[in-house]
Amino acid sequence: MALTRKQWIVIGCIATFVVVGVIVGVTVGVVVGRRKSDSVTVEQRVNDILAQNPLIDGHNDWAWVIRKYFRNNITGLDLNEMTKYRNITTIHTDITRLRKGQVGGQFWSIYTPCEHQGKDATVSFMEQIDLMNRIIAKEPEAFQLARTAAEVREAFQAKRVASLLGVESGQAIESTFSILRLFYQLGVRYMTLTHNCNTPWADQNRVDRPGSTLPKNDGLTEFGKKIIAEMNRLGMLVDLAHVSKKTMLDVLNVTRSPIIFSHSSAWALCNHSRNVQDDVLRLIKKNRGIVMVAFTPGFITCDSKNLGNISNVAEHINYIRNLAGVDGIGLGGDFDGIDQTPYDLVDVSGYPKLIEYLISQGNWTDEDIIKLAGGNILRVMEENEQIARDLQKTMQPMEDMIPIADLIKNNITSCRYLDMYPNATVA
């Protein structure tokens, strides 16, 4: 039956009301949703991000502080509230502040000074690994040992700080592949090639300082290149913090795996020899490596009278991001390895404030923050793990000995029994 003109008018009116209602409903929903989003503070946004994604710092010297001031005795030590020991020294780390800082993973520095090289370096580094094992065992609800990216995620899901071990200085292995492999078996997942002293196979950063008369290896020696190859085969991250620029370039030329700088900043903003120059930053982007920005005032401001603040640290983060890419940046606070801190980054509780500042700048998405906080270092670990699996299919463990001439040159034969060099003659 054909509709009358009046009926068509009625239908048209009803349709109009329906359409208008839908439009109004959608508009209201969008506005309400937008207001809800706007009502989420930056602090809440950061809290949500870090509750779901681990913040992983590249370098913390808590173990060194415990060795230096407490002789590695932790039985009666309150690891939850170490501010109570401020009459002894300022300590940047404890469980309470790690929780406040929403730290989801930490590379704990396994470190003793250069003076141990050629004497008891391996012994002293083993003592520090034992210390971290005892800390983890003492506080199992707070810490969980992690050796892979997957284990980091497991610890984070269990609401424990994923505890990774990083040997700070190649002196620890006393120039032998055997000790390098044993450290890997003990859970060490990165090795800084030098500290502020050369190893017999790699140069440290201070050789680059103006007027330096320190002896040089001219970067990475041939034996040093074999060390890198073995680290790649094992899946141990190569850490270039502390090394000379020539060593950086040599490593980037031979490594098959992404490298890290566990605690360094941008040389263009502070021309300290511990920082990373622009051409190296561009190479890191090609290598798919990562620079974990240090909070060390001397690396941030280059001004002994200005300790710097969050904005100065953020400037280094943004600068490195612009050259190495958002996939090439991370955080490496160096807490408890530094005597002074930026004014508003005084301990491990301060990470959320730094991230809040970055977000407030308007050019960091949630995805970017996730990468900075821990996503990038997890990706670097996973790539090293996969490359190691591939290399182990065709590559045998290294068995070479470092040339004795390299040991003699560096004057570290006096405390070493040279039975592996049967024809050696040492004056």
Side-chain angles (χ1 to χ4, degrees):
M1 180 180 68
L3 297 174
T4 65
R5 186 171 184 272
K6 183 177 180 179
Q7 289 171 321
W8 277 113
I9 291 173
V10 171
I11 291 171
C13 290
I14 292 171
T16 300
F17 280 125
V18 170
V19 171
V20 169
V22 170
I23 292 172
V24 170
V26 171
T27 302
V28 169
V30 169
V31 171
V32 169
R34 187 173 295 161
R35 285 178 180 169
K36 183 178 180 181
S37 176
D38 291 343
S39 70
V40 176
T41 65
V42 173
E43 182 179 358
Q44 290 171 323
R45 183 175 162 192
V46 171
N47 181 69
D48 290 344
I49 291 171
L50 298 184
Q52 300 174 52
N53 304 276
L55 184 152
I56 304 167
D57 180 88
H59 194 87
N60 182 297
D61 278 292
W62 197 26
W64 165 244
V65 167
I66 293 172
R67 180 186 182 93
K68 184 176 181 181
Y69 294 99
F70 303 97
R71 298 175 62 198
N72 283 0
N73 295 322
I74 63 169
T75 299
L77 206 61
D78 187 350
L79 301 176
N80 284 277
E81 299 285 349
M82 296 200 73
T83 54
K84 66 176 59 175
Y85 306 113
R86 62 171 59 92
N87 62 314
I88 300 174
T89 187
T90 299
I91 301 174
H92 304 142
T93 309
D94 56 36
I95 294 170
T96 298
R97 285 176 287 173
L98 286 166
R99 294 299 193 202
K100 185 177 179 181
Q102 293 185 264
V103 177
Q106 180 67 66
F107 275 97
W108 300 108
S109 172
I110 305 301
Y111 163 78
T112 60
C114 289
E115 289 75 14
H116 291 270
Q117 182 166 208
K119 301 169 185 173
D120 63 343
T122 299
V123 171
S124 63
F125 277 80
M126 293 282 282
E127 290 169 345
Q128 296 310 97
I129 292 175
D130 170 71
L131 171 62
M132 282 312 308
N133 284 340
R134 287 187 288 120
I135 288 173
I136 294 167
K138 182 179 180 179
E139 299 289 350
E141 295 305 309
F143 303 113
Q144 183 172 321
L145 182 66
R147 290 155 295 193
T148 65
E151 289 182 0
V152 171
R153 294 188 174 93
E154 289 172 8
F156 181 71
Q157 290 300 318
K159 300 189 183 306
R160 300 186 182 102
V161 178
S163 295
L164 301 122
L165 307 181
V167 159
E168 186 178 19
S169 187
Q171 71 202 38
I173 66 170
E174 290 292 5
S175 303
T176 70
F177 293 113
S178 298
I179 302 302
L180 176 66
R181 287 189 284 267
L182 287 172
F183 276 138
Y184 183 85
Q185 291 173 24
L186 290 171
V188 172
R189 287 303 178 266
Y190 79 59
M191 182 172 73
T192 319
L193 301 188
T194 72
H195 194 252
N196 293 327
C197 55
N198 288 357
T199 61
W201 40 272
D203 284 336
Q204 53 121 342
N205 71 96
R206 293 182 179 181
V207 305
D208 291 338
R209 295 185 180 180
S212 171
T213 58
L214 293 169
K216 294 184 179 182
N217 294 305
D218 191 29
L220 195 66
T221 69
E222 289 303 311
F223 185 78
K225 293 174 184 177
K226 294 177 181 178
I227 292 283
I228 303 306
E230 184 67 358
M231 291 177 72
N232 290 168
R233 190 192 70 83
L234 289 169
M236 185 183 290
L237 309 185
V238 178
D239 178 21
L240 299 183
H242 281 285
V243 306
S244 70
K245 184 178 179 182
K246 180 64 164 55
T247 303
M248 296 177 194
L249 295 173
D250 288 347
V251 170
L252 286 164
N253 190 48
V254 299
T255 183
R256 302 189 193 188
S257 305
I259 59 87
I260 68 168
F261 284 80
S262 65
H263 57 306
S264 296
S265 299
W267 188 90
L269 300 182
C270 173
N271 60 352
H272 194 289
S273 59
R274 280 280 283 100
N275 286 341
V276 189
Q277 296 186 29
D278 288 3
D279 56 336
V280 178
L281 289 175
R282 294 187 182 95
L283 290 173
I284 290 168
K285 185 173 185 178
K286 292 176 62 177
N287 168 261
R288 295 179 57 77
I290 181 176
V291 178
M292 308 181 85
V293 172
F295 304 164
T296 313
F299 304 166
I300 296 297
T301 66
C302 277
D303 181 354
S304 61
K305 297 179 180 179
N306 177 16
L307 299 180
N309 53 34
I310 282 176
S311 66
N312 298 122
V313 174
E315 187 178 7
H316 280 261
I317 291 172
N318 283 315
Y319 187 91
I320 293 172
R321 175 192 179 182
N322 288 338
L323 287 184
V326 73
D327 294 323
I329 189 74
L331 302 173
D334 201 13
F335 285 119
D336 284 318
I338 50 181
D339 296 325
Q340 296 176 308
T341 66
Y343 297 115
D344 46 4
L345 274 174
V346 297
D347 57 38
V348 296
S349 69
Y351 296 99
K353 293 298 181 185
L354 171 60
I355 294 175
E356 287 171 27
Y357 181 86
L358 290 170
I359 288 177
S360 71
Q361 292 184 309
N363 62 337
W364 286 82
T365 66
D366 287 10
E367 183 181 18
D368 294 339
I369 292 296
I370 291 167
K371 289 182 176 183
L372 167 74
N376 286 336
I377 186 61
L378 285 173
R379 187 259 310 159
V380 168
M381 289 178 66
E382 287 168 339
E383 291 189 20
N384 271 262
E385 291 164 14
Q386 182 57 56
I387 290 169
R389 286 191 291 268
D390 293 340
L391 288 174
Q392 289 168 18
K393 294 174 183 177
T394 58
M395 183 178 171
Q396 295 300 310
M398 290 282 184
E399 296 179 336
D400 304 56
M401 298 289 294
I402 186 170
I404 192 169
D406 292 353
L407 298 176
I408 295 170
K409 175 184 175 183
N410 287 272
N411 195 31
I412 55 174
T413 58
S414 60
C415 294
R416 188 169 184 145
Y417 187 57
L418 301 174
D419 62 313
M420 297 290 275
Y421 300 92
N423 300 316
T425 301
V426 180

